[in-house]
Amino acid sequence: MKLVEPPSCSSPSAIVFIGRNKRGQWVAQEQNGLYGGLFVNRAQAFKYALFENGHHPETIIELARDIELDMGGAPASSGAIPAGRVA
């Protein structure tokens, strides 16, 4: 039997941003920093975002600008992902 970790998201309407960081790695991050990760390609970042947000592709936003993973958990005041630490 394969064990599957449940999604981290508590709301199906959670916005998840995906994009590349300055190092070229793919990042997926929930808008308030509740969950996120680094990925080797876009497909894996998108797959993770879908799993975590309850399979709602309409709430996944791919950014053209750099995005840095910030797992501080504090909501961004401007609604955008703040530049921060890379885990």
Side-chain angles (χ1 to χ4, degrees), residues 12-80:
S13 63
I15 303 289
V16 182
F17 297 108
I18 64 170
R20 289 182 181 245
N21 65 15
K22 292 180 182 182
R23 295 182 180 140
Q25 299 162 313
W26 281 91
V27 175
Q29 174 116 28
E30 191 270 340
Q31 68 181 348
N32 294 319
L34 297 176
Y35 55 84
L38 294 174
F39 303 89
V40 295
N41 58 44
R42 181 187 179 276
Q44 290 301 312
F46 196 84
K47 182 178 177 179
Y48 171 81
L50 276 175
F51 176 76
E52 290 293 343
N53 78 2
H55 299 279
H56 292 274
E58 69 278 7
T59 64
I60 298 172
I61 299 172
E62 186 169 353
L63 301 175
R65 64 175 175 79
D66 289 344
I67 177 175
E68 298 296 331
L69 183 63
D70 182 2
M71 298 305 293
S77 59
S78 66

